[in-house]
Amino acid sequence: MAFETINVDVDDHIALIRLNRPDALNALNTQLLKELCQALEEADANEKVRCIIVTGSDKAFAAGADIKEMSGMGFGDVFTINLFADANDRITKIRKPIIAAVSGYALGGGCELAMACDFIIAADTAKFGQPEINLGVIAGLGGTQRLTRFVGKSKSMDMNLTGRFMTAEEAERSGLVSRVVPAKKLIEEATNVAQKIAEKSMMTVMAAKEAVNRSYETTLSEGLLFERRVFHSMFATEDQKEGMTAFLEKRQAQFRDK
Ligand code: CO8
């Protein structure tokens, strides 16, 4: 299907999804969120794709949910549509790894979308924030929950209560982003990282993603048990034999996702 608010480019095992509403700084409206979810699901189902990158423009990853679209809504509208919950659930169900490559503004729903991905690579120009407080609302897609887990209560309160922006440098120092790269090299660096992931056993990558995500949903002892069971199950795979044999034979492993 042709998309109007995003561009999708699948090349060499990597799906690059670019948010594309330049006139609104990639604000997340109903159409964009639906198209994004559909593109992620298609990439997840595409056997060729082994890693997904979500990005925006130089100026904005996304400047939040679309304020023009939301401004006239009442409780009944947002409650009934439940769009933000639907988008969150659909993104969370994607099993392949998703890298958010963030340049410029990642605000409100934009910051939350980046956090819903598996990890964030930021350009040195990136600015993160939860400025919903200035609009008379609070975050609605994880800004009070995921952000708190990433950066701790103090910084999360600061961001959510003042609406101030965090620089890429502060975001890396605080654990919100995994690495900061020069803005001009953002897509190149994100693609290199995606390529590295794409070379692994996809089955093992999916298992690792599942195990890390489990740490957010359960107790430490349950999480450790889940991790151990998945670890044990890896010994039933051909890729475990190949990975360990290749190490001992001092050669590159040839994984077959089996
Ligand atoms: N929604 C709609 N339009 C937007 C948005 C937005 N969030 N952000 C920017 N735009 C539009 C502007 O209205 C403007 O359009 P026009 O040219 O037609 O007037 C155009 O984009 C360019 O913006 P600016 O002229 O304001 O550009 P500046 O460089 O001066 O400022 C800023 C950039 C600082 C990013 C500024 O645009 C801004 O503050 N934007 C709003 C940021 C914000 O408050 N975000 C939070 C939104 S609420 C939210 O996200 C709730 C999340 C709930 C869950 C979401 C699930 C998806």
Side-chain angles (χ1 to χ4, degrees):
M1 174 191 151
F3 297 115
E4 291 173 1
T5 61
I6 59 171
N7 295 326
V8 183
D9 189 19
V10 177
D11 188 23
D12 206 15
H13 301 303
I14 297 161
L16 179 67
I17 302 176
R18 192 181 284 278
L19 311 187
N20 186 30
R21 292 189 70 215
D23 294 345
L25 301 184
N26 292 331
L28 310 170
N29 65 2
T30 309
Q31 184 182 6
L32 186 148
L33 280 171
K34 281 194 175 145
E35 292 187 353
L36 174 63
C37 289
Q38 189 180 332
L40 286 169
E41 284 161 359
E42 285 175 6
D44 210 28
N46 182 342
E47 281 180 20
K48 195 182 159 213
V49 172
R50 301 174 75 83
C51 193
I52 303 164
I53 300 172
V54 177
T55 195
S57 66
D58 290 346
K59 183 163 182 192
F61 176 73
D66 191 308
I67 300 169
K68 278 184 201 132
E69 190 182 64
M70 285 186 301
S71 62
M73 290 185 183
F75 173 80
D77 302 310
V78 289
F79 181 81
T80 311
I81 299 169
N82 208 16
L83 174 69
F84 303 157
D86 184 45
N88 178 64
D89 294 350
R90 289 174 71 183
I91 295 168
T92 309
K93 285 200 179 92
I94 303 297
R95 299 185 71 206
K96 288 177 184 164
I98 312 172
I99 301 171
V102 174
S103 182
Y105 296 111
L107 305 176
C111 184
E112 295 168 303
L113 171 62
M115 290 191 290
C117 297
D118 293 317
F119 63 99
I120 303 173
I121 298 179
D124 48 13
T125 56
K127 290 187 185 66
F128 299 87
Q130 299 294 157
E132 290 92 337
I133 198 88
N134 299 324
L135 301 169
V137 291
I138 72 165
L141 190 69
T144 66
Q145 302 302 303
R146 288 199 178 97
L147 185 66
T148 308
R149 284 167 159 88
F150 288 138
V151 305
K153 179 183 170 184
S154 191
K155 261 189 201 295
S156 177
M157 281 287 189
D158 183 355
M159 307 275 292
N160 276 288
L161 301 189
T162 69
R164 80 171 173 88
F165 300 165
M166 219 186 228
T167 62
E169 190 272 329
E170 184 182 3
E172 186 184 30
R173 185 158 29 92
S174 312
L176 176 58
V177 312
S178 72
R179 25 183 133 180
V180 178
V181 300
K184 282 202 169 68
K185 294 198 148 194
L186 177 64
I187 296 303
E188 184 186 327
E189 295 281 349
T191 304
N192 287 342
V193 175
Q195 198 59 52
K196 277 211 168 59
I197 295 170
E199 288 163 9
K200 319 287 184 213
S201 158
M202 180 50 53
M203 179 181 54
T204 317
V205 164
M206 283 177 166
K209 169 171 169 163
E210 206 174 331
V212 172
N213 280 334
R214 186 55 72 100
S215 72
Y216 284 100
E217 307 292 346
T218 191
T219 61
L220 178 60
S221 58
E222 285 299 320
L224 287 169
L225 178 61
F226 180 82
E227 178 190 82
R228 206 176 314 133
R229 285 289 172 268
V230 175
F231 173 76
H232 292 159
S233 72
M234 300 270 103
F235 286 75
T237 69
E238 289 177 21
D239 283 349
Q240 173 266 332
K241 305 282 176 296
E242 168 60 10
M244 294 193 179
T245 304
F247 175 81
L248 295 174
E249 292 176 353
K250 301 188 188 304
R251 61 174 174 79
Q252 196 71 30
Q254 301 293 321
F255 294 119
R256 298 177 57 229
D257 303 331
K258 291 195 188 315

